[in-house]
Amino acid sequence: MKCKICETRKARRYCPGVSGEICSLCCGNEREVTISCPLDCPYLVEARLHEKPPALNPDEVPNQDIQVTEQFLREHEPLLVFLSSRLLEASLSAAGAVDTDVREALQSLIRTYRTLQSGLYYETRPANLIAAGIHERMQEAVESLRKQLAEKSAPPVRDVEILGTFVFLERVELHQNNGRPRGRAFLDYLRAYFPQNQESLAPATPLIQV
């Protein structure tokens, strides 16, 4: 049987992304490039173990004026768990969402919470509809969190704390993004650390180090 992609080489494995048999070379070359790979594909899982994201120039990292220290992460670890799990949930529920869509959503959320620091409120939404959907679901998650805390008479979460957490997640995405057009290495990374459907500020999992 010939490879469904190149139609030249002999097919070696079944690809759920194209619903057909493909060769090993096309699997390696087209994985998360032209093929939208399911996150549980065994060949993608194996490839993640050997994947090295492109080098990131520290000078090109955005929002460098916002410091996110280890102390900040330790003190706000429950918030990190909550927002990360909700980000994962929102992204996986958005059809076709890839890491770059998630990055756009984080960028717009950061811009929105930056305006709050100046005493104004101006919500910026991405033109990208997938990113805009993730942005909206994250804002809903924040509002839900605020209501939960108010009902429990717990200290409210501050905008600056949310901003710092989003900036941290943006930096994790930049470090984990594999540069492939349909790449979801960042989402895979979140899946390994944070549970989905996190409904409250629960005890945290170990922090991601970047």
Side-chain angles (χ1 to χ4, degrees), residues 104-113 115 121-127 132 135 139:
E104 284 189 50
L106 286 169
Q107 289 171 341
S108 65
L109 287 163
I110 290 168
R111 288 194 297 269
T112 296
Y113 281 88
T115 64
Y121 179 74
Y122 178 74
E123 185 165 12
T124 61
R125 291 176 180 269
H135 174 114
Q139 288 290 65

Side-chain angles (χ1 to χ4, degrees), residues 30-45:
E30 304 305 322
R31 179 186 303 126
E32 294 190 317
V33 176
T34 61
I35 303 173
S36 296
C37 306
L39 292 177
D40 59 355
C41 172
Y43 301 106
L44 178 65
V45 172

